[in-house]
């Protein structure tokens, strides 16, 4: 037996065809170490950790303020992101602007930038996009109830041994592992 | 000495420029780890690629060690850092809901930005869904805020809860990370058959 094993070439379209030219990701423990240093620097500079959901809350407050600033000030959720009339000058929005640029640079270096829809081979693009919208809606709601997301609670709170953050992490993984079975066609 | 923001009076421009700079590092790391890809992110729940846990856990332990060293050296007082108050009920319920959104939508708030930056249309739709979700929360269920406040235990960390110091907990987490790393390698081999042929790695 000669040892020549041939793999089928990646089919076009179905699952992110630009992958074939992409470079490999970095070792996860190494990236984790770097991400930890970024988080540590954020604590050292600002006294708080990283966050992401706050930026979406700020944009929502801004959007609601376009129609009625009085309503935003009176609303117990929006009002905390009103920033005295400048909701878009939020620290977290600028953090995510930086994150966008950083991800774009990394993606360009790795040959991983190009329009695509991430999904498994057994769902249509349309189904995937409907599920993406629904998932975003649900995740946002959960993050608002939990007072943080993977960045604010899990990463930032976890590294400070915040008890609520550890409870949050446990709940996220419990819920996602159980539900994963039911949405498996979306991914594998 | 640290945090810097408590000792130096940052102008708004400096403050926001620092946000962009730190964000750059944040986004660069997330993309480098593969977290611009919803399939890479959700693979953690199908056990054949545990990159999400490896990156998150390593980051948490790295920061924990750093905070412990800085506070031991007297450069940074942990009590100066912002801590989100704990509400067991809110973090449990919110976490369960958030986990559902994560596995259905394929991203979390931060990684959706990474996905958008690298051209994932589903990440853009996820972010629009998030905006709608935040808006719905503020408009239709603002009463949840007072429930969270009412169920709050206040600032609560493992050291204050258990009386065991930050140093011991940090050491325990370092050991746990090494053990978990071995366990995850085993899991990935055990469930390698679940890995789709073109899985991004």
């Amino acid at each position: 037996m000669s040892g020549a094993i041939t793999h089928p070439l990646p089919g076009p379209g179905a699952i992110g065809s630009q992958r074939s030219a992409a470079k490999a990701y970095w070792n996860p423990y190494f990236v984790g170490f770097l991400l930890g240093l970024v988080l540590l620097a954020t604590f050292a500079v600002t006294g708080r950790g990283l966050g992401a959901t706050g930026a979406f809350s700020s944009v929502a407050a801004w959007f609601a303020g376009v129609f009625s600033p009085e309503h935003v000030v009176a609303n117990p959720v929006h009002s905390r992101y009103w920033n005295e009339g400048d909701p878009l000058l939020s620290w977290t929005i600028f953090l995510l602007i930086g994150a966008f640029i950083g991800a774009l640079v990394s993606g360009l270096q790795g040959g991983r930038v190009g329009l695509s829809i991430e999904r498994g081979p057994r769902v249509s693009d349309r189904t995937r996009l409907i599920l993406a919208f629904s998932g975003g809606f649900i995740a946002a709601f959960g993050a608002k109830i939990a007072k943080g997301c993977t960045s604010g609670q899990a990463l930032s709170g976890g590294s400070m041994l915040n008890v609520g953050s550890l409870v949050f992490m446990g709940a996220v993984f419990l819920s996602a592992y159980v539900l994963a079975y039911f949405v498996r066609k979306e991914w594998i | 000495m640290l945090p810097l923001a408590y000792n130096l009076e940052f102008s708004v421009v400096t403050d926001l420029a620092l946000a962009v700079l730190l964000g750059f590092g944040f986004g660069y790391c997330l993309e480098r780890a593969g977290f611009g890809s919803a399939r890479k992110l959700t693979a953690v729940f199908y056990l054949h690629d545990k990159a999400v846990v490896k990156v998150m856990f390593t980051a948490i332990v790295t920061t924990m060690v750093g905070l412990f060293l800085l506070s031991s050296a007297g450069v940074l007082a942990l009590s100066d850092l912002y801590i989100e108050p704990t509400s067991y009920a809110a973090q449990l319920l919110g976490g369960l809901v958030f986990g559902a959104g994560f596995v259905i939508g394929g991203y979390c708030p931060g990684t959706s930005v990474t996905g958008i930056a690298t051209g994932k249309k589903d990440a853009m739709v996820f972010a629009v869904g998030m905006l709608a979700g935040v808006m719905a929360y503020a408009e239709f269920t603002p009463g949840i805020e007072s429930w969270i406040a009412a169920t709050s235990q206040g600032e609560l960390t493992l050291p204050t809860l258990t009386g065991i110091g930050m140093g011991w907990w940090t050491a325990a987490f370092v050991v746990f990370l090494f053990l978990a790393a071995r366990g995850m390698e085993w899991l990935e081999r055990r469930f390698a058959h679940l890995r789709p042929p073109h899985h991004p790695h």
Side-chain angles (χ1 to χ4, degrees):
Chain A
M1 296 284 280
S2 70
I5 300 164
T6 53
H7 292 282
L9 288 167
I15 35 176
S17 55
Q18 87 278 10
R19 287 282 161 220
S20 46
K23 291 180 192 161
Y25 297 124
W26 279 354
N27 178 297
Y29 298 107
F30 177 64
V31 186
F33 175 70
L34 289 183
L35 182 57
L37 293 183
V38 173
L39 178 55
L40 185 63
T42 310
F43 274 119
V45 171
T46 69
R48 348 180 24 132
L50 296 163
T53 310
F56 290 85
S57 303
S58 292
V59 174
W62 165 78
F63 187 70
V66 169
F67 299 97
S68 168
E70 297 78 24
H71 166 71
V72 170
V73 175
N75 182 289
V77 182
H78 283 322
S79 57
R80 291 203 275 124
Y81 299 91
W82 183 235
N83 192 23
E84 294 164 20
D86 283 322
L88 294 182
L89 286 183
S90 120
W91 201 86
T92 314
I93 288 183
F94 281 78
L95 183 81
L96 292 195
I97 291 172
F100 181 93
I101 301 169
L104 181 61
V105 169
S106 169
L108 288 172
Q109 287 174 346
R112 289 186 290 265
V113 179
L115 282 181
S116 65
I117 294 176
E118 283 272 321
R119 58 172 176 79
R122 295 191 282 173
V123 290
S124 67
D125 283 346
R126 187 162 172 274
T127 307
R128 169 66 191 120
L129 291 182
I130 292 169
L131 289 172
F133 181 88
S134 315
F137 189 96
I138 296 166
F141 223 89
K144 291 308 287 181
I145 296 172
K147 296 263 164 190
C149 56
T150 338
S151 310
Q153 281 289 15
L155 280 179
S156 306
S159 61
M160 300 174 73
L161 296 166
N162 186 345
V163 175
S165 304
L166 300 172
V167 170
F168 173 78
M169 258 189 278
V172 169
F173 278 95
L174 174 70
S175 164
Y177 271 109
V178 171
L179 267 172
Y181 176 80
F182 299 98
V183 294
R184 63 192 184 283
K185 280 191 181 166
E186 187 182 2
W187 303 116
I188 59 175
Chain B
M1 259 161 68
L2 298 173
L4 285 180
Y6 295 8
N7 301 296
L8 306 169
E9 200 62 44
F10 289 146
S11 69
V12 174
V13 174
T14 311
D15 196 35
L16 297 181
L18 282 168
V20 174
L21 189 68
L22 290 164
F24 183 95
F26 185 35
Y28 193 91
C29 287
L30 290 180
E31 207 288 327
R32 273 291 127 134
F35 295 177
S37 159
R39 284 177 301 138
K40 180 88 178 166
L41 287 163
T42 52
V44 67
F45 304 120
Y46 301 98
L47 300 170
H48 64 82
D49 181 347
K50 307 291 287 180
V52 168
V53 177
K54 292 177 191 173
V55 172
M56 276 185 64
F57 201 2
T58 311
I60 288 170
V61 171
T62 301
T63 308
M64 201 184 291
V65 170
L67 289 176
F68 173 69
L69 292 179
L70 289 177
S71 74
S72 302
V75 186
L76 175 79
L78 293 176
S79 54
D80 279 349
L81 302 179
Y82 175 80
I83 292 195
E84 191 67 49
T86 288
S87 157
Y88 289 116
Q91 269 94 50
L92 181 66
L93 177 65
L96 292 174
V97 174
F98 185 86
F102 190 177
V103 73
I104 293 170
Y107 298 94
C108 59
T111 51
S112 74
V113 174
T114 316
I116 293 169
T118 49
K120 312 299 192 305
K121 293 185 215 168
D122 48 318
M124 297 173 206
V125 174
F126 181 92
V128 174
M130 272 205 65
L131 262 182
V134 168
M135 195 60 119
Y137 178 88
E139 298 298 334
F140 304 129
T141 60
I144 294 178
E145 292 286 304
S146 42
W147 172 75
I148 298 170
T151 56
S152 173
Q153 271 81 35
E155 291 183 7
L156 190 64
T157 63
L158 275 185
T160 54
L161 181 70
T162 60
I164 299 168
M166 172 94 175
W168 291 109
W169 280 111
T170 305
F173 268 84
V174 171
V175 173
F176 186 31
L177 173 62
F178 278 96
L179 293 176
R182 300 199 61 167
M184 286 187 289
E185 303 304 331
W186 179 84
L187 273 176
E188 287 179 347
R189 282 197 304 275
R190 170 73 181 72
F191 292 98
H193 62 281
L194 286 175
R195 183 182 288 240
H198 308 308
H199 183 67
H201 55 81

